[in-house]
Amino acid sequence: MTRVSILIVALFVAGAVCGTASAQDTLKKIKDTGTITLGHRDSSIPFSYYDDKQQVVGYAMDICYKVVDAIKAELKMPKIDIKLNPVTSATRIPLMANGTIDLECGSTTNNLERQKQVWFATTHFVTANRFVSRKSANLKTVNDLKGKTVVSTSGTTNIKNANEINVAKKLGMNIIAAKDHAESFLTMETGRAVAFFMDDILLYSLVANSKKPSEWVISADALTVEPYGIMMRKDDVAFKKVVNGTINNLYKSGEINKIYGKWFLKPVPPKGINLNVPMGASFKKVVAKPTDSGDPKDY
């Protein structure tokens, strides 16, 4: 091996070590900078989105703010500046991995594949992949979508699932990838697609906030189980202990019921619509016995 080759290998190893160290030191990063950066979505109602005053609000945001309070206590820092960084389905994992954001507060499915890249906190919601379409189109099952154009959001488990179903069932669907949920719904609303694959809770929100909610219907069949979790960097044991401890305490104390009720059982901005989605059996099970599993079988 030449001297140049040895130097290159040495630099590579040093970089890998530094990368691993930084990935495991979120608490130190926060303490040193006095800042935590929260990744958020722009239209994932009611989890993480901009309200009518362009403020970032939502169910996941409220949970993340509780985590920030716990970090203040852990680090004995009465004040930590919170930076808000918008993310999309496509950018959320890369921005977490490269250190741009410290927590991702949104509607991200925790699964075994993603756990190879990032870690997830205790599950804070359980939903399912379904599709929405116009009632007049009479599209009841995925088989009714054969040969048709559908849409889903880029970087989501939903578009991956739609592609898998398309191949497995030989449906010949044309699947459009939109940049975010709002664009996906608009693609269907304007007739460029007949159906939109997404987590049912997000579909309920989009339909409720649409111009004519009565025009739309969400499929009865659940295609997959989707447990949501707040993302953090992989292999950061100390940080995850604080995050999970905070969420688990919310469940144990019953405070989660107040937070849940605020976003799912009462009117929410921007239009003051009540989604009226009671806590489901799968999530009640998580509250009683917290888990951060990425295996659908555990829900």
Side-chain angles (χ1 to χ4, degrees):
M1 184 180 287
T2 67
R3 184 177 298 176
V4 173
S5 298
I6 293 172
L7 178 60
I8 290 172
V9 171
L11 289 172
F12 177 80
V13 172
V17 171
C18 289
T20 303
S22 63
Q24 296 176 341
D25 243 346
T26 305
L27 289 174
K28 184 177 187 303
K29 175 188 174 186
I30 294 169
K31 188 173 184 63
D32 290 347
T33 63
T35 302
I36 185 170
T37 302
L38 307 182
H40 68 87
R41 304 300 297 273
D42 61 357
S43 59
S44 287
I45 301 173
F47 295 91
S48 177
Y49 65 101
Y50 289 112
D51 66 8
D52 48 341
K53 298 176 183 176
Q54 288 301 295
Q55 300 293 312
V56 182
V57 299
Y59 171 72
M61 295 303 300
D62 280 2
I63 293 175
C64 277
Y65 288 136
K66 293 289 185 181
V67 171
V68 174
D69 288 341
I71 292 171
K72 289 178 183 177
E74 176 74 16
L75 298 177
K76 296 179 173 58
M77 295 175 67
K79 184 178 184 299
I80 293 176
D81 290 331
I82 299 174
K83 289 185 178 180
L84 299 176
N85 194 107
V87 300
T88 67
S89 298
T91 64
R92 55 191 170 182
I93 291 178
L95 290 176
M96 176 60 67
N98 70 16
T100 300
I101 60 175
D102 301 310
L103 286 173
E104 191 265 342
C105 314
S107 50
T108 300
T109 297
N110 174 6
N111 60 33
L112 300 177
E113 183 178 341
R114 286 176 174 168
Q115 285 184 6
K116 296 174 183 177
Q117 304 175 73
V118 295
W119 271 1
F120 288 87
T122 298
T123 297
H124 64 265
F125 196 82
V126 183
T127 182
N129 185 18
R130 303 178 196 267
F131 68 84
V132 63
S133 61
R134 290 187 186 277
K135 287 180 181 177
S136 59
N138 197 33
L139 303 171
K140 304 292 186 183
T141 70
V142 289
N143 292 326
D144 295 328
L145 302 175
K146 187 172 184 177
K148 301 184 185 300
T149 297
V150 301
V151 65
S152 191
T153 306
S154 177
T156 62
T157 55
N158 311 84
I159 196 165
K160 182 175 181 289
N161 183 235
N163 278 296
E164 290 170 347
I165 290 172
N166 199 26
V167 172
K169 291 181 171 287
K170 299 179 181 179
L171 296 176
M173 295 186 297
N174 174 36
I175 302 174
I176 298 174
K179 69 175 183 178
D180 56 34
H181 305 325
E183 183 178 282
S184 290
F185 195 85
L186 182 63
T187 300
M188 182 190 58
E189 205 170 23
T190 53
R192 288 172 286 163
V194 300
F196 169 24
F197 284 86
M198 187 42 57
D199 300 336
D200 56 13
I201 185 60
L202 299 179
L203 293 179
Y204 292 138
S205 302
L206 289 162
V207 167
N209 284 280
S210 67
K211 296 175 183 176
K212 296 181 179 179
S214 61
E215 287 189 358
W216 308 102
V217 62
I218 296 170
S219 63
D221 292 341
L223 307 176
T224 60
V225 176
E226 307 284 332
Y228 286 174
I230 291 168
M231 278 198 304
M232 66 197 87
R233 272 178 290 283
K234 196 171 183 292
D235 301 325
D236 196 336
V237 177
F239 190 57
K240 182 170 182 174
K241 182 179 179 182
V242 176
V243 177
N244 274 8
T246 305
I247 297 173
N248 295 351
N249 285 338
L250 290 177
Y251 294 175
K252 185 177 180 180
S253 68
E255 190 176 356
I256 190 62
N257 295 312
K258 180 180 178 180
I259 298 172
Y260 187 97
K262 172 184 173 183
W263 294 103
F264 295 98
L265 300 173
K266 294 180 181 179
V268 299
K271 296 183 178 181
I273 293 172
N274 187 342
L275 298 178
N276 194 24
V277 179
M279 193 178 289
S282 294
F283 185 47
K284 284 183 179 179
K285 180 181 173 183
V286 173
V287 171
K289 191 176 181 180
T291 179
D292 54 20
S293 173
D295 189 342
K297 295 177 183 178
D298 292 332
Y299 298 93

